[in-house]
Structures are given as structure tokens and as C-alpha cells.
Amino acid sequence: MMSPPPRSSITLYSQQQQQAQDDVVGVAEEATEANMTTTTKTKAQTPLSEIVEAFEELAKSLSSRRNRNSDKGAGGELRLDAFSKTCSLVSVLFSCLGLAFRFAESEYVAKVRDLVEASKEYNTLQTIIDLDVANGTVRTSGSHSRNLRRVRQGLDLIRALFEQFLSTNDYSLREAATTAYSQVCAPYHTWAVRTAVYAGMYTLPTRDQLLLNLNETEHSAKKNMRMYIKASLPVIQYIDRLYISRNISLDW
């Protein structure tokens, strides 16, 4: 007969088994944590949520500066580099809307690019407006002040579109976009441009297609849209005050 293994061997074997089980559990826990982290990052990195986060930072910065000082009634200052960088993120929203908003995308991207370049030389939004005021070029095609005005309209167009999108679940994207465009951009466009835009509305994606393009669910999209509206509105209003406080009308 074979003699039983020594007690020390049995103990060592049991310890090895327990260690192996602990290692398996540890690996599983690490994998779960990594998966949760990846999922969280994925959710946080959708185009819309990234835009919302950037505008919240702008609004927070603006509020903080406004509490410290004011600029001819506009309130606070806004750095041009931070503003233009944030606005550059919004171009993806226009591309998700397809051909109908291709005019807005091309114009918006060009204007933002100009502001990005200007930020290498000028510190704030006030600076570029004051420069154009001094040179009498505020409304001149290609001026930084004119381009800022057009970028502001682009931000407001997205805000208005989101408001219409959220107004009812039965509202088609075409109806939402048509109303938003009519409110924000149509008053400043020629008849030819308006006609082309309204015709292009029929090529807009459906609500479900838009959510897919944005990598959002119905719930997450509505949440982020509300957050964009809240964060972008004070920035839009601030830009308007910069013009108004310098006796520059907004009818252009």
C-alpha cells in the first residue's frame, strides 16, 4: 500500500489551490473594472457629450470672470483660443445633419478656422471686435468680427434645433430643422440660399438616424441636448452683448 502524502504537502497543495483561485478572482475583478472604465470613457466621449463638456467649461469661465469685472456692460472676458477650440467641436453636428446643412457646415468651419488663427495673435473676443471697430471693418467680409457673428449664429442654430427636437417625440427632424433655420438664419440669407436650404431639408436623416450618427440613445441625446442649450445660451448672449455694448446692431 502507498503511504499517504505528508501533512505538509497537503497544506502546501491547498495553499496553492487557494492562491490560484484568488488569482482568477483578481483577474476577473480587474477585467470587470477595465470594462467599466472603458464603457464610462466611451459614454463620455460621444461627440455631443464632448461638446457639452467644453461649453460648460466656457460658461463656467465666463461666469467666474463676470463676477470679478465687467467689460462695457458685456460682463467678463472670454479667451479667443478656448472659444474657437470649443466651437471647432460643433462642426461634427452639422456633418451629422447631411446635405441640408452642408452650407452651414462649410461656412461655419471656415469662420471657426479664421478665429483659431486669430487666437494666435489676439487674446479675447473683445480684442478682435475692438480692432474692427477701430478700423471700421466690423461688417466687412472676412473680418474677425463678421466671422465671430457667423459662428455665433451657427451655435444658435444648433441650440434652436435641439429645442425643437426636444419639444415633442412626434416632431420630425425636418420640421425641427426647418423651424430652427427659419428662426436663426433665414432672416439673414438671400432668397436663393433660403430656397436651396428648404429644399435640402427633405434629405435630412430621421430622428433615429441622427441618434445613430451621434452615437447616442434617445435618453442620452435628450440629456446632452438640454445640457448644450443650458451651457451655450450664456455664451451666445455674451457675444450679443459684446456687439450691443459697442452700439453694433445684430440685424446682419
Side-chain angles (χ1 to χ4, degrees):
M1 295 178 59
M2 295 180 62
S3 59
R7 181 178 299 274
S8 59
S9 298
I10 296 175
T11 302
L12 178 61
Y13 178 72
S14 298
Q15 291 175 342
Q16 290 174 337
Q17 276 193 319
Q18 183 62 48
Q19 182 63 49
Q21 290 176 352
D22 291 343
D23 290 343
V24 170
V25 171
V27 170
E29 289 177 344
E30 290 176 359
T32 300
E33 291 177 0
N35 183 60
M36 291 175 64
T37 300
T38 301
T39 301
T40 301
K41 288 183 177 179
T42 298
K43 289 181 179 179
Q45 291 176 348
T46 64
L48 186 51
S49 63
E50 186 177 2
I51 291 168
V52 167
E53 182 178 348
F55 270 97
E56 286 179 335
E57 287 300 316
L58 275 188
K60 187 186 303 181
S61 172
L62 192 57
S63 176
S64 175
R65 293 174 186 274
R66 185 182 298 126
N67 290 335
R68 293 199 298 268
N69 56 37
S70 63
D71 175 73
K72 296 183 181 180
E77 290 185 345
L78 196 58
R79 289 193 59 84
L80 183 56
D81 54 0
F83 173 76
S84 56
K85 182 179 179 181
T86 298
C87 291
S88 66
L89 300 174
V90 179
S91 59
V92 68
L93 298 181
F94 288 110
S95 64
C96 287
L97 293 170
L99 293 175
F101 279 75
R102 187 61 51 83
F103 79 96
E105 180 185 6
S106 60
E107 180 175 82
Y108 180 87
V109 169
K111 296 338 183 211
V112 170
R113 187 179 297 118
D114 172 75
L115 296 182
V116 170
E117 290 301 313
S119 70
K120 298 175 183 178
E121 185 175 356
Y122 306 108
N123 290 331
T124 66
L125 274 63
Q126 294 94 312
T127 306
I128 60 174
I129 295 179
D130 286 338
L131 178 64
D132 283 327
V133 168
N135 294 331
T137 55
V138 170
R139 301 194 186 198
T140 301
S141 178
S143 73
H144 300 317
S145 295
R146 185 180 179 86
N147 289 341
L148 174 61
R149 174 72 179 150
R150 294 295 175 262
V151 169
R152 173 255 182 247
Q153 287 179 333
L155 301 179
D156 201 24
L157 178 60
I158 295 298
R159 179 203 58 78
L161 173 61
F162 285 174
E163 283 188 344
Q164 295 301 319
F165 187 94
L166 293 169
S167 63
T168 173
N169 290 331
D170 297 328
Y171 212 30
S172 73
L173 185 58
R174 179 173 64 83
E175 291 172 319
T178 299
T179 301
Y181 173 77
S182 298
Q183 291 175 350
V184 177
C185 297
Y188 311 107
H189 286 168
T190 64
W191 176 86
V193 172
R194 293 196 303 270
T195 301
V197 171
Y198 287 131
M201 293 295 181
Y202 290 92
T203 67
L204 282 170
T206 63
R207 287 174 67 101
D208 290 341
Q209 288 172 334
L210 177 63
L211 295 177
L212 185 62
N213 291 342
L214 293 174
N215 194 28
E216 300 279 353
T217 64
E218 182 84 17
H219 174 74
S220 67
K222 288 183 175 181
K223 177 182 177 181
N224 284 323
M225 287 177 182
R226 291 189 185 96
M227 293 171 69
Y228 172 85
I229 293 170
K230 181 179 179 180
S232 66
L233 190 56
V235 176
I236 293 170
Q237 293 173 337
Y238 168 75
I239 296 172
D240 286 347
R241 289 195 299 271
L242 286 179
Y243 290 103
I244 294 172
S245 65
R246 290 161 174 79
N247 296 319
I248 303 170
S249 65
L250 303 177
D251 57 346
W252 53 289

